[in-house]
Amino acid sequence: MSTNASAMYADLSLILSEAGAGRPVLVLHGGGGPATVAGLAQHLSRTAHTITPVHPGWDGARRPDWLTGIDDLALAYLHMLRDRRLRDVLVVGSSLGGWTAAEMAVRDSAGSITGLVLIDAVGVQVETEPITDLFALDARGVAEHSWHDPDRYYLDPAGLPPEELARRQANMATMRLLAGDPYMYDPTLLRRLGKVQVPSLLLWGESDRIVTPAYGAAYADAFGDGRLEVVPKAGHLPQIEQPEATFALIDAHLRQSAHPSEQR
């Protein structure tokens, strides 16, 4: 990384949670914030060294003025991996985090990343099934599109404390800034994914109505080594709705995708 690049990231102070030992696994949350991947990170920390950031602009984390897109976020995390000299990294990304993981892999000239898991990722476009515009839905509509069992997971905003409502609104504002135009995808990403040859698991909830399993199929076809697994009775966050099935698929990929010289 050049001196100029290092200077650019000098004002970026990442909030990271780390646990466990073994192969490095970077866990990237989606628009719902770090709580949506907390259980997944905890599970993975039993067999790996998990690094779970709070994206700048989420949950009160400071966002530098220059960080205005998913490409900026991806480059910031690549800089972090290289700065820490991490190698044989598995990047696991949920939703917006999956898009970020894909952008990281495309730009990983150092070869730090040796595996990917994208969970119900946005970032590409399937013209026949447009990504649901979350900003146009009320809370009940978001739940209906996000969960296989929306009645179980729906939270009435009227019952939330003011500070929680403020946190959610601020997170949504950051998401709109980073990914709102064009909405939740980069029209160039799909054609760039062929250069990514690392083993890539596309994990999708069968009932996701935000990005349907057709998006997982599009990603899997575009990657050099992509494979789609659909999780039954799960929506946009299978790691929460069907954790046992989701964790089993990721655990297997964690083992299978390790670089031979790094297998422990």
Side-chain angles (χ1 to χ4, degrees):
M1 189 68 69
S2 70
T3 302
N4 288 342
S6 296
M8 183 178 78
Y9 294 110
D11 65 341
L12 177 62
S13 180
L14 292 172
I15 299 173
L16 305 172
S17 297
E18 298 190 58
R23 184 182 179 190
V25 179
L26 179 65
V27 183
L28 302 177
H29 67 77
T36 59
V37 295
L40 172 59
Q42 182 180 29
H43 170 80
L44 288 169
S45 69
R46 299 174 187 173
T47 56
H49 170 204
T50 59
I51 304 166
T52 310
V54 179
H55 300 328
W58 266 263
D59 286 15
R62 181 181 171 275
R63 179 188 60 81
D65 291 340
W66 54 262
L67 203 158
T68 58
I70 298 300
D71 53 348
D72 297 323
L73 190 60
L75 288 168
Y77 287 137
L78 280 175
H79 176 78
M80 182 269 290
L81 295 182
R82 295 173 193 176
D83 193 49
R84 298 178 60 155
R85 294 181 176 154
L86 294 174
R87 59 183 185 176
D88 191 29
V89 180
L90 177 69
V91 184
V92 180
S94 170
S95 189
L96 189 98
W99 178 5
T100 307
E103 294 283 6
M104 288 178 68
V106 168
R107 293 168 167 79
D108 181 26
S109 58
S112 304
I113 298 168
T114 52
L116 292 172
V117 178
L118 273 56
I119 305 172
D120 294 77
V122 295
V124 299
Q125 182 185 33
V126 176
E127 291 188 2
T128 56
E129 301 187 35
I131 300 172
T132 297
D133 185 355
L134 294 177
F135 300 126
L137 300 176
D138 61 13
R140 183 69 203 187
V142 171
E144 293 286 350
H145 284 76
S146 301
W147 304 103
H148 176 78
D149 185 0
D151 290 338
R152 179 180 176 186
Y153 293 97
Y154 169 68
L155 288 175
D156 186 348
L160 296 175
E163 59 272 17
E164 174 62 13
L165 280 174
R167 181 191 72 83
R168 292 182 177 214
Q169 289 166 357
N171 287 353
M172 289 293 279
T174 302
M175 186 165 70
R176 188 190 289 272
L177 173 69
L178 266 58
D181 186 20
Y183 179 75
M184 292 295 168
Y185 74 94
D186 181 334
T188 71
L189 178 57
L190 208 56
R191 66 174 179 263
R192 292 185 282 124
L193 293 177
K195 67 184 289 187
V196 179
Q197 297 295 319
V198 302
S200 302
L201 173 63
L202 292 310
L203 236 172
W204 240 259
E206 69 169 351
S207 302
D208 188 354
R209 293 174 58 203
I210 297 173
V211 277
T212 66
Y215 280 79
Y219 261 117
D221 288 345
F223 278 120
D225 182 8
R227 176 172 61 92
L228 173 64
E229 293 282 355
V230 176
V231 181
K233 297 182 180 179
H236 192 61
L237 299 169
Q239 71 271 21
I240 294 176
E241 213 164 5
Q242 295 294 339
E244 187 174 333
T246 302
F247 295 171
L249 288 165
I250 296 175
D251 287 346
H253 191 70
L254 176 64
R255 294 189 298 270
Q256 294 163 4
S257 65
H259 192 277
S261 65
E262 302 294 334
Q263 288 182 348
R264 298 166 174 85

